[in-house]
C-alpha cells in the first residue's frame, strides 16, 4: 500500500513537471513575435535636449551597447561609445594645443531638416521678386508667412530681446551657412564661431571645458567629443520665459526608493517650524 | 562531541577506512556502545582527513567557478597587502566566476594609480536642473543592486531639492540678535528665507522648477576621510590618485563608515544584490564596480574602471547641462584646475576638515 502511494506521488510529480514544461513552451511561443517587433525598432534617445542630437541604440559588441536609453524619459543615460557619429571639429582659435583629431563634434547639419533646401529652393537669389536679387534696405524684420510656418520658433523669437534679427546670425546670400563678424560664412556645425561674437565669456569658458559638455577622455590632451552651442541651446528662443534659469524644462528620472515602511515622502514637504 | 558516539563522518569515507564501530542506532539504549579511545581517535582522524580531502576537491574542481572563487577568497589577503601575482590571481578568479555567472566576458581591471594624477571633481551648482540623469547613469555603470523590494535598490548619487525661501517684508525685522540691529532675515522661531530641508523624493512633471534649487551629493573623496579612520578592518582607504575605495572582500559590513561619513555617501547591500544579466556592465575594476555580495558597503569611486583609463566618469558624460566637470588637479590645463583658478568654489562641510576633492562652484 505504502509503495503504491509512493508510485502515485512520483507519477503525479512527473505529470505536473511535464505539464509545467509544456505550459512554459506555450507561453514562450507568443512572446517571440513581440520580441522581434521590439528588435525591429531600436530605441532612439535624445542626448542633451529634445529636438537636438539623438543616438540610436545598437550593440557594438556582445553585451555592450553604444548607448543606454532611459526607459522613463528616453534620454541617453550611458555611453558605450562616446565618439559615435562624430567628425573632427575643424579650426577653432584657442584650441591649437589639442592634438589633431582629438577634438570631435557631432555634425548638426543632418538634423536640420530645412538645411538642404533653404539655399536652393527659396533663398537661391532667383525668383519673381528677387530678379535681380535685392536685399532688404534696412534691418527691420518683415514677417514672411511661409518662413514663419516652416520655422515655428520664429513666432516666439526671443534671442536678443528684439535687438537682433535673422541676418545677424544667418548669412545674407548663403542661407545654409551662418555668418561671422567679417561677413564670412560659418558652418552650422561650428556655431561657436558665431555665438562667440557676443558671448565671449561663455566661449572662453567653453574652450577651457568649464561651460558646456565634453565626453570621452578627461585628460587635457585626450580625445573628446565636444557638444557645440546649439546641441544644448535652441538659438531662437534661448530666453523663453517659461524656463527657469535659461534651461528648457524636461521630465526628471524616477526618484529613489522610499525607505522600508514609508508610504510616501510627504514628510519632506513639511516645514520643521510652522510659519 | 560525545565520546560514546561515533563521529558523524561521511559514510562512504567511513566504510573505506574500515571503521570497526557498528552503525549508530536511533534507540538511546542501543547507542550506548563501547568504543575505545583508540577507535575514537582513529575515527576523528578520518573525519579530519575526509574534510581536508573535500577541501582539496573543492579547490581543484574548475567547473563551478563561483564556488572555487568563493573558497579561494576566504584565504586572500587585504588588497593592499597582496603581491602583484596575488592580485592577478584574484583578478583571473573573479573574471572566471563573473563570466560564468553573468553569461558574458567580464573583465576585472586591477590598474593601479598612475603617477602625476590626482583626480578632482567640480559641480556647477547654479546649473544643476535636478533631472537625476547622473543618478541613473551611475547605476547603469556601476552594477548596483536594482531590485524592487526594500533595500534592494541602491543609488550612490542623491539629488537634493531645496526650496527657495522668500524674504517676506513683515519678517525682515525679526533679525537676530535684535539688540545689535543686525538683520539676518528671520531667527530660529520665525524664519524668513530658506527653511525647508532637502527633499530627495521630488517628482514634478518637469524640472527645473521655478521655486527650487538642486544640489547633487555623492562621495566627496575626502583627503582625510572619516570613513577610513573608523574602518575596523582597514578595508576602505584612499588611493594615491584621489578616490577612496573599498576592498569588498574584506568588508565585514559593520557600517561604522556609514555612520562616520558626513555626506551620507555610503550604502550597504542588506540583501543579496539584484543585478540582471543583461544589465550588468562587464567592464569592471577590482576596487570599483565589480559585482558586490550581500553585507558589504559600497559607494562612489569616480568610476575607477573608466578614470584609470582616462575616460570621464559616467555621471559627467550624461549631465545634460554640463554641470559636472572632472579632471586632473595636477594638470594646470585641466578643466577642474581652470575652475579652481577662475570660479567661485566651495566644498561641502569644509569646517569638518575632511578636505574633499569634490568642489561646488558657480558662475
Amino acid at each position: 500500500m505504502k509503495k503504491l502511494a509512493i508510485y502515485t506521488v512520483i507519477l503525479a510529480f512527473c505529470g505536473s513537471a511535464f505539464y509545467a514544461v509544456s505550459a512554459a513552451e506555450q507561453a514562450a511561443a507568443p512572446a517571440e513575435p513581440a520580441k522581434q517587433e521590439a528588435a525591429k525598432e531600436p530605441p532612439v534617445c535624445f542626448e542633451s535636449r529634445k529636438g537636438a542630437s539623438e543616438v540610436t541604440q545598437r550593440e557594438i559588441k556582445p553585451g555592450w551597447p553604444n548607448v543606454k536609453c532611459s526607459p522613463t524619459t528616453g534620454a541617453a543615460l550611458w555611453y558605450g561609445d562616446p565618439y559615435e557619429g562624430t567628425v573632427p571639429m575643424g579650426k577653432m582659435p584657442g584650441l591649437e594645443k589639442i592634438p589633431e583629431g582629438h577634438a570631435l563634434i557631432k555634425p548638426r547639419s543632418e538634423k536640420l531638416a530645412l538645411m538642404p533646401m533653404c539655399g536652393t529652393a527659396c533663398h537661391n537669389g532667383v525668383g519673381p521678386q528677387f530678379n535681380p536679387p535685392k536685399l532688404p534696405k534696412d534691418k527691420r524684420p518683415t514677417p514672411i508667412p511661409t518662413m514663419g510656418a516652416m520655422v515655428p520658433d520664429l513666432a516666439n523669437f526671443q534671442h536678443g530681446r528684439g535687438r537682433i534679427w535673422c541676418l545677424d546670425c544667418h548669412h545674407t546670400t548663403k542661407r545654409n551657412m551662418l555668418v561671422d563678424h567679417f561677413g564670412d560664412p560659418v558652418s552650422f556645425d561650428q556655431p561657436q564661431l558665431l555665438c562667440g561674437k557676443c558671448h565671449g565669456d561663455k566661449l572662453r569658458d567653453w574652450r577651457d571645458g568649464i561651460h558646456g559638455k565634453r565626453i570621452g577622455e578627461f585628460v587635457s590632451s585626450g580625445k573628446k567629443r565636444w557638444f557645440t552651442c546649439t546641441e544644448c541651446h535652441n538659438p531662437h528662443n534661448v530666453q523663453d520665459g517659461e524656463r527657469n534659469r535659461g534651461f528648457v524644462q524636461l521630465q526628471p528620472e524616477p526618484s529613489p526608493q522610499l525607505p522600508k515602511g514609508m508610504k510616501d515622502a510627504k514628510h519632506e514637504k513639511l516645514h520643521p517650524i510652522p510659519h | 562531541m560525545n565520546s560514546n558516539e561515533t563521529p558523524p563522518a561521511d559514510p562512504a569515507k567511513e566504510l573505506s577506512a574500515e571503521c570497526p564501530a557498528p552503525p549508530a542506532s536511533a534507540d538511546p539504549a542501543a547507542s550506548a556502545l563501547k568504543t575505545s579511545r583508540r577507535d575514537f581517535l582513529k575515527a576523528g582522524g578520518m573525519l579530519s582527513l575526509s574534510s581536508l580531502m573535500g577541501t582539496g576537491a573543492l579547490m581543484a574542481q574548475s567547473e563551478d567557478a563561483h564556488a572555487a572563487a568563493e573558497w579561494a577568497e576566504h584565504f586572500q589577503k587585504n588588497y593592499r597587502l597582496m603581491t602583484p601575482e596575488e592580485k592577478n590571481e584574484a583578478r583571473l578568479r573573479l573574471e572566471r566566476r563573473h563570466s560564468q555567472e553573468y553569461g558574458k566576458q567580464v573583465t576585472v581591471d586591477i590598474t593601479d594609480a598612475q603617477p602625476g594624477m590626482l583626480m578632482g571633481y567640480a559641480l556647477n551648482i547654479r546649473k544643476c536642473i535636478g533631472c537625476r540623469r547622473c543618478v541613473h547613469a551611475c547605476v547603469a555603470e556601476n552594477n548596483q543592486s536594482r531590485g524592487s523590494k526594500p533595500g534592494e535598490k541602491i543609488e550612490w548619487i542623491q539629488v537634493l531639492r531645496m526650496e527657495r525661501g522668500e524674504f517676506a517684508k513683515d519678517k525682515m525685522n525679526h533679525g537676530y540678535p535684535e539688540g545689535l540691529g543686525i538683520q539676518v532675515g528671520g531667527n530660529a522661531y520665525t524664519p524668513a528665507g530658506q527653511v525647508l530641508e532637502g527633499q530627495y523624493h521630488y517628482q514634478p512633471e518637469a524640472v527645473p522648477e521655478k521655486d527650487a534649487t538642486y544640489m547633487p551629493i555623492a562621495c566627496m573623496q575626502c583627503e582625510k576621510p572619516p570613513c577610513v579612520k573608523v574602518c575596523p578592518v582597514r578595508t576602505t582607504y584612499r588611493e594615491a590618485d584621489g578616490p577612496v575605495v573599498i576592498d569588498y572582500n574584506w568588508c565585514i559590513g559593520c557600517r561604522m563608515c556609514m555612520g562616520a561619513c558626513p555626506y551620507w555617501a555610503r550604502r550597504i547591500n542588506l540583501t543579496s544584490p539584484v543585478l540582471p544579466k543583461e544589465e550588468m556592465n562587464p567592464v569592471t575594476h577590482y576596487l570599483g564596480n565589480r559585482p558586490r555580495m550581500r553585507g558589504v558597503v559600497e559607494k562612489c569611486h569616480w568610476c575607477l574602471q573608466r578614470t584609470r583609463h582616462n575616460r570621464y566618469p559616467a555621471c559627467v558624460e550624461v549631465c545634460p547641462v554640463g554641470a559636472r566637470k572632472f579632471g586632473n588637479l595636477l594638470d594646470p590645463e585641466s578643466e577642474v584646475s581652470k575652475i579652481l583658478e577662475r570660479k567661485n568654489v566651495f566644498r561641502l562641510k569644509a569646517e569638518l576638515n575632511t578636505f574633499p576633492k569634490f568642489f561646488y562652484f558657480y558662475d
Side-chain angles (χ1 to χ4, degrees), chain B residues 54-99:
Chain B
T55 309
L58 202 57
M59 286 176 83
Q61 72 174 343
S62 57
E63 300 99 63
D64 191 1
H66 177 83
E70 205 152 71
W71 180 257
E73 275 166 18
H74 279 109
F75 297 98
Q76 112 190 1
K77 279 189 246 170
N78 187 320
Y79 187 73
R80 271 187 295 177
L81 302 178
M82 281 191 208
T83 59
E85 293 80 49
E86 284 170 330
K87 283 182 186 175
N88 202 38
E89 267 173 38
R91 176 180 72 84
L92 291 172
R93 206 156 53 215
L94 281 175
E95 280 181 357
R96 219 171 50 229
R97 167 187 174 174
H98 292 316
S99 299

Side-chain angles (χ1 to χ4, degrees), chain A residues 106-128:
Chain A
K106 202 168 200 176
R108 289 271 295 130
S109 329
E110 299 156 14
K111 287 293 295 175
L112 303 168
L114 290 177
M115 257 277 291
M117 295 179 277
C118 58
T120 50
C122 304
H123 303 281
N124 53 1
V126 287

Side-chain angles (χ1 to χ4, degrees), chain A residues 81-120:
Chain A
D81 176 17
Y83 312 119
E84 192 183 82
T86 54
V87 295
M89 186 194 280
K91 261 184 76 176
M92 171 73 203
L95 294 183
E96 291 86 6
K97 272 190 207 163
I98 296 176
E100 189 69 33
H102 276 209
L104 304 164
I105 52 148
K106 202 168 200 176
R108 289 271 295 130
S109 329
E110 299 156 14
K111 287 293 295 175
L112 303 168
L114 290 177
M115 257 277 291
M117 295 179 277
C118 58
T120 50

Side-chain angles (χ1 to χ4, degrees), chain B residues 141-282:
Chain B
E141 171 72 21
N142 287 309
N143 293 331
Q144 283 102 325
S145 172
R146 55 201 74 177
S148 50
K149 291 200 204 98
E152 278 184 355
K153 197 172 173 188
I154 291 179
E155 288 168 359
W156 292 347
I157 304 173
Q158 289 172 297
V159 186
L160 274 164
R161 177 190 184 269
M162 311 238 196
E163 195 181 52
R164 277 192 194 192
E166 63 176 305
F167 287 85
K169 222 175 186 181
D170 56 321
K171 283 182 185 156
M172 276 299 135
N173 52 3
H174 287 174
Y176 179 84
E178 268 170 37
L180 296 169
I182 299 167
Q183 302 296 318
V184 293
N187 60 28
Y189 303 101
T190 52
Q194 191 162 300
V195 287
L196 202 62
E197 309 232 331
Q199 300 160 60
Y200 298 102
H201 300 278
Y202 65 91
Q203 195 65 48
E205 292 279 299
V207 288
E209 297 150 283
K210 280 247 182 231
D211 55 348
T213 50
Y214 304 91
M215 174 137 184
I217 46 172
C219 178
M220 300 283 156
Q221 318 292 359
C222 310
E223 202 166 311
K224 290 190 171 180
C227 53
V228 169
K229 271 188 205 166
V230 298
C231 182
V233 288
R234 297 192 183 180
T235 189
T236 181
Y237 60 99
R238 187 174 168 272
E239 285 272 292
D241 55 359
V244 175
V245 295
I246 304 164
D247 176 5
Y248 306 112
N249 281 95
W250 269 68
C251 180
I252 56 171
C254 70
R255 288 181 268 174
M256 298 264 274
C257 51
M258 289 172 75
C261 175
Y263 305 106
W264 317 290
R266 289 177 167 252
R267 309 278 180 275
I268 184 154
N269 285 287
L270 271 178
T271 57
S272 291
V274 180
L275 178 59
K277 280 180 186 177
E278 65 275 13
E279 286 180 34
M280 192 255 175
N281 178 9

Side-chain angles (χ1 to χ4, degrees), chain A residues 78 208 212 214 220 244 249, chain B residues 141 208-209 325 331 335 342:
Chain A
W78 179 90
D208 292 335
R214 304 184 297 188
S220 49
N244 187 10
Q249 288 195 314
Chain B
E141 171 72 21
E209 297 150 283
K325 298 289 161 198
D331 175 8
E335 45 200 69
R342 204 180 288 168

